[in-house]
Amino acid sequence: MHLCSLNVPRSRGGRLVLLGVALLLSGVVGTAQAQHLDNGFYGKLGAGLSGYTGDLAGPRAGAPQEFGADAIGRLPLVAVGELGYQLSPRWGLALGGQAGSYVSVGNAAPATDSYRRYTSHLLGRYTFGAPDRRVAFYLDAGLNVTAGGPTHTGIGPSVGGGIDIRAGRAVSLYVESRLHATVPDDAVDGRGRGAEGWSFDTVNQPLGFGLRFSLTTPTAPEIIALDAPAEVEAGTTATFTVTINEEEAARPLDRRWRFGDGTEGTGRTVTHTYRRPGTYPVTVSAHNEAGEATASTTIRVTRASAPPSPPEAPWVVSLTARPNPVRVGEPVQLRTAVEGEKPFTYQWTVDGTTATRGPAPTYTFDRPGRHTVQVRVSNDGGTQTRSMTVQAERRTAKRPSPQPAGLWAVGVASMRNPSGAKRMARRYRNRLADAPVSVRIVEHMLDQERHFRVVVVGRYETQAAAQQARETYRRALPPEAWAVRLE
């Protein structure tokens, strides 16, 4: 296979044609504003210069130098057409054809050869760059079938590439170059290399240009949903979201928000903060080359709520210990009354050591003396501390001697269970520890059953004296206490 040069006319008219193509390209690049659909059918129509590479060489490969009657019919030109489908913004599939006048081929046998060859091709195409670029580069490759030669129909691979320049909503200008290789070697020019080995010919389009136009109508945007809060406080950020038919709508797709207070935003999801209370109309519009859709709603902006005031610190109203003084080893009831905003936490400290928690704990001193009891009360507003002194006395400390028993006593309880009577007696001994009385358990028969009475015994010779004692110690005695005659 020998290489033959491209046949290009050197006339003034040819130079004017090339200059016009260059001016058209520069004008389109400066005014391009639209983009093609991301998917759908498209068509291409164009023309260009033809080129041939094969086994014809020497003077036969030369092209006419001047434009005459024969030269016009033998110009090295091709006409191309294509129908394609854009699978995605980057990938496409195309079926096309190329009809060309290849002068070098015709020079081999001018009496019988028509100079023309016809090529059909199936191509896969990949486009580089972002879908919204105004100038995009692409490469393609596939198979071709070339007919019109004097002997055979050729078949072989095709490769090419070019530049696509947007010129309108659905139209662009392209400039490309493509090479179609064919076998067997004599399919295009009728001449093979014979015993010299396997070879092939090519019918090319070294330079071509034309128009690419969409055959699928672009889809206008449609607003499916508008999500917005019905109410928000002034100074608080509100979020707005619009849902549109993004899978079908043509790109580029513009979303614009108007928040009703003179400000705007863009995007599928936006945030906005209103500074003043009121009712504001919120409008969102979606726009592409096929149309525009609009949706609106209203949002009520309320005054910002005042921050919650901090709670007041607790106030310890009272702090008590009962009994006070208390004997070593006997329990003392600690109690505090607190005012303020709950919940409270309590921490009790005895002689510098944290002892217990809660509003009313019980504590037992293991040594005599004066003991400092401190309570620490806290809430979310603060803390207050209060202290007191509790006197703990030895168990052998001298106690007021109870008066000898008289004929009468004060009854506080009567029951059949001796253990319950013992517990009851212990309770009233603690309550009346400082009084000159004693608490005893007296057995007696009631309805032929043995009962146990818990009585307060003093020198009560008469019933009136027992009743007077009941009034004297009424704070420590139950309301139902009664005067009882000792047996």
Side-chain angles (χ1 to χ4, degrees):
M1 179 184 70
H2 305 284
L3 301 180
C4 295
S5 59
L6 174 67
N7 301 308
V8 180
R10 303 178 184 176
S11 65
R12 181 184 304 173
R15 289 192 293 269
L16 291 176
V17 170
L18 295 178
L19 178 61
V21 171
L23 291 176
L24 179 60
L25 282 174
S26 62
V28 171
V29 172
T31 59
Q33 294 181 348
Q35 78 163 20
H36 290 302
L37 297 176
D38 290 343
N39 52 54
F41 288 97
Y42 67 88
K44 291 176 66 173
L45 291 176
L49 300 176
S50 67
Y52 154 77
T53 302
D55 301 299
L56 300 179
R60 302 175 186 178
Q65 303 299 318
E66 301 294 338
F67 279 102
D70 293 337
I72 294 177
R74 302 167 69 180
L75 288 176
L77 299 176
V78 293
V80 296
E82 192 173 280
L83 177 64
Y85 186 81
Q86 196 70 32
L87 303 172
S88 69
R90 296 184 182 276
W91 290 98
L93 189 65
L95 178 64
Q98 172 179 307
S101 174
Y102 301 91
V103 179
S104 300
V105 176
N107 286 342
T112 60
D113 203 314
S114 67
Y115 303 89
R116 296 179 180 87
R117 300 292 183 266
Y118 305 95
T119 302
S120 299
H121 56 255
L122 177 65
L123 304 173
R125 179 167 292 129
Y126 181 82
T127 303
F128 295 89
D132 57 352
R133 292 184 59 179
R134 298 185 179 184
V135 178
F137 297 88
Y138 61 87
L139 293 177
D140 50 38
L143 296 174
N144 78 88
V145 176
T146 300
T151 57
H152 300 285
T153 296
I155 186 172
S158 298
V159 293
I163 304 173
D164 189 273
I165 308 167
R166 299 194 309 270
R169 186 180 65 83
V171 179
S172 64
L173 178 71
Y174 71 87
V175 180
E176 66 182 13
S177 177
R178 183 164 290 107
L179 180 148
H180 304 289
T182 64
V183 292
D185 188 31
D186 59 352
V188 173
D189 52 21
R191 179 173 300 183
R193 298 183 62 179
E196 296 182 9
W198 181 87
S199 186
F200 63 90
D201 297 333
T202 65
V203 286
N204 316 317
Q205 178 189 243
L207 178 64
F209 59 91
L211 294 177
R212 180 185 189 274
F213 46 90
S214 296
L215 300 177
T216 302
T217 303
T219 302
E222 177 184 351
I223 295 179
I224 300 173
L226 170 58
D227 296 326
E231 184 175 292
V232 70
E233 288 186 359
T236 302
T237 300
T239 301
F240 304 88
T241 302
V242 63
T243 303
I244 62 176
N245 55 336
E246 296 191 40
E247 296 296 330
E248 298 83 12
R251 291 180 174 83
L253 192 58
D254 177 64
R255 307 170 186 84
R256 185 168 299 277
W257 295 82
R258 295 176 177 84
F259 301 110
D261 59 353
T263 59
E264 297 183 353
T266 58
R268 187 176 70 88
T269 299
V270 295
T271 58
H272 184 65
T273 302
Y274 291 93
R275 300 300 178 185
R276 296 181 179 180
T279 301
Y280 297 88
V282 179
T283 303
V284 60
S285 61
H287 173 80
N288 65 5
E289 58 187 4
E292 181 177 8
T294 303
S296 61
T297 185
T298 58
I299 182 172
R300 182 172 176 265
V301 181
T302 60
R303 292 184 181 278
S305 58
S309 58
E312 295 182 359
W315 174 37
V316 179
V317 178
S318 64
L319 179 61
T320 59
R322 292 183 180 179
N324 189 11
V326 64
R327 292 184 180 87
V328 173
E330 294 185 359
V332 59
Q333 180 72 58
L334 306 176
R335 189 180 300 275
T336 181
V338 184
E339 292 185 0
E341 186 170 338
K342 297 180 180 180
F344 301 122
T345 59
Y346 302 85
Q347 178 178 302
W348 294 84
T349 304
V350 179
D351 296 333
T353 302
T354 300
T356 184
R357 300 179 183 273
T362 300
Y363 188 79
T364 302
F365 295 97
D366 57 1
R367 59 183 177 84
R370 296 173 62 87
H371 301 273
T372 300
V373 177
Q374 183 186 75
V375 64
R376 177 186 174 92
V377 184
S378 304
N379 66 359
D380 291 339
T383 301
Q384 188 180 32
T385 303
R386 189 164 176 172
S387 303
M388 68 176 178
T389 300
V390 178
Q391 179 69 35
E393 299 178 346
R394 295 183 183 277
R395 283 183 174 272
T396 58
K398 186 178 179 180
R399 297 177 53 190
S401 299
Q403 297 182 3
L407 300 177
W408 290 84
V410 179
V412 296
S414 178
M415 58 191 69
R416 289 180 294 181
N417 187 344
S419 60
K422 290 179 181 180
R423 288 194 299 271
M424 188 69 68
R426 190 181 304 115
R427 178 186 304 174
Y428 285 98
R429 287 190 186 106
N430 292 333
R431 292 186 179 183
L432 298 170
D434 298 328
V437 296
S438 62
V439 179
R440 300 178 184 177
I441 299 174
V442 179
E443 296 185 17
H444 73 104
M445 297 299 294
L446 179 64
D447 297 333
Q448 297 182 352
E449 291 184 2
R450 188 172 64 169
H451 280 247
F452 301 90
R453 284 180 177 172
V454 179
V455 297
V456 178
V457 179
R459 186 176 292 179
Y460 311 130
E461 300 295 335
T462 64
Q463 183 179 5
Q467 292 176 344
Q468 180 62 42
R470 184 186 64 181
E471 292 298 324
T472 300
Y473 304 116
R474 61 184 179 86
R475 291 181 178 273
L477 299 178
E480 63 271 16
W482 71 97
V484 60
R485 187 178 179 87
L486 297 176
E487 299 177 357

